[in-house]
Every structure is written in structure tokens, then in C-alpha cells.
Amino acid sequence: MPFFRTFTLFAVGLVSLPSLATDPFEDFHEYGKMPDDEIHQKHKGEMLYGDVEFGFIVNKGNTQNTSFKLKSNLYQDFPKWRNQFKFNGLYRREQNTETDVEDVSASRYFGSAQGNYKLGDDNASFFMYGDYERDRFNGKEYTTTFALGYGNRVYEGRKNTVDIDIGPGMSISRVDNEIELEPEEDRTEQGQLLRMALQWERNVSKRTRFNQDVSFEQSLSGLNSRLFAESALVTQVIGGIALKFAFIYRYNSQPENEKEKVDTELGATLVYSFD
């Protein structure tokens, strides 16, 4: 089985990389040598910095559809607060070439805001988090989450940073009006949860970085639990323009109206980074 043998050797090589005395990318870049505190010092007091991602696709012919995606990941860094704002929007219309009927096949909007209050000179912080999601095709009219707790930068190196958050919260969601409920069921649901999140960033080279974001909300009230994970490779093309390849995984433990529990997305988009 040549493929299995090759894959095994490749996996072993990846595992062995951290133990090598010389990083294979060491001579290729200098950006990875900037400590994270210097990066934050560079942006300290700025109103906003981060990435804005966008994609637009139009297909004509045998398949006719239009897709639009907009995503942003913005930061603020002040002496006592580090804030993060996210937005993710996806919209797609498809036309049936046989019936000539056009309809919306995807409509999802998500926004979140998090503030981390820095505790002393170490990497510990107290965080407050809130989000709002509206997905036309997941059976929910909306879902919103609030959480607060403890955050920490558990690892900080020349090329890697790892942040974690953990704390209790609550979620409120409303079932779509088109879904029929039992007489005793309430269309609005509310419950307690435990939120855990991880963000890992690795500077692969001066022009390339890898990002891994994972968040998990475990319901403590018997409601649905949610998992979101995004693995992304971002490569600078020219100036502040970069190309992003990403795989997104969403999991909902109790989907509405016999929807699928797992939703995945694989794509390539342009990203604009600004200071």
C-alpha cells in the first residue's frame, strides 16, 4: 500500500518536526521572531486592526448561482482591555435551469464580541463574551449566547501563541415559525451552558500563517450543544492582500426539523489585513 506508507512517513515527519534542532522555515522569515507582546505593543491604543475576508462567485450555464461571503476578525488592544469582534455572513441564490425558479439556498449571519480585562502583568484575563446567529436553514429564527469567565495565554513563543477561555453562560434561541411544535413546547428556549474556546496562531513564514479556532458550548440544561472549528492557512499575495484556504466544521447536537447535525465548508477567499 504505497499511499498508506507515504502518508505514514509524512505523519511521522510532522510529529518529529518540533524536536528538530533547526526549523526548516528558520532561514525563510524574520516575522516569526517578533514576540506577541511586541506585536500588541505595535497596535497598542489603535482603534482597530485585523482581517477582512470576502468572496464572490457567479456561475452561469448548466449551473446558475450567486454566492457572497463576508467575514471579519478585528481587534483592539488597550492597557487594560483586549477586545475582539467577529462577523461572518454567507448568502447564496440558486436558479433551477429546468423550471427557471430562483431561490435562496444559504443565508447565515453571525456576529460576536469579546472583551478581555487583563489581570496584572501576566497573560491571565477576565472575559465577557456575546454572540448572535441567524441562519435561515438551521430551523432557528435566532440563537444568542452570553458567557463570562477566565482567559489565559497558555503558550507564547516566537512563532506560536495559544489562548484559551472557559466560563459559564446562557443561551437563548427561538424556533422558526415554520416549524410545528407540540402544544406543550415553547418556541423560545433558554438555558445555562459552559463555554470553552481555543485560538492557536502559528507564523509559518513571513508571508504565511496558520490559524486554528475552536469553540464549544456544552448545554447544562438539556438543550443543544454547539461546536465550531476553523482551520485556515493564510498566505500574503501582495501588500495587505492575502489568499485564505479554510475548512470550517459546525456541529449542533439537537438540530431542528430533522436537519443534519454536521455542517462543513471548504473554500478559498481573499483576505485584506490592515493595521
Side-chain angles (χ1 to χ4, degrees), residues 31-41 153 156-159 161:
Y31 178 77
K33 295 182 179 180
M34 180 183 292
D36 186 77
D37 56 351
E38 292 184 20
I39 295 176
H40 284 291
Q41 185 66 31
R153 175 152 292 170
E156 181 175 3
R158 292 183 297 113
K159 302 174 187 178
T161 57

Side-chain angles (χ1 to χ4, degrees), residues 1-9:
M1 302 176 64
F3 173 79
F4 179 77
R5 186 180 300 109
T6 302
F7 178 79
T8 303
L9 291 175

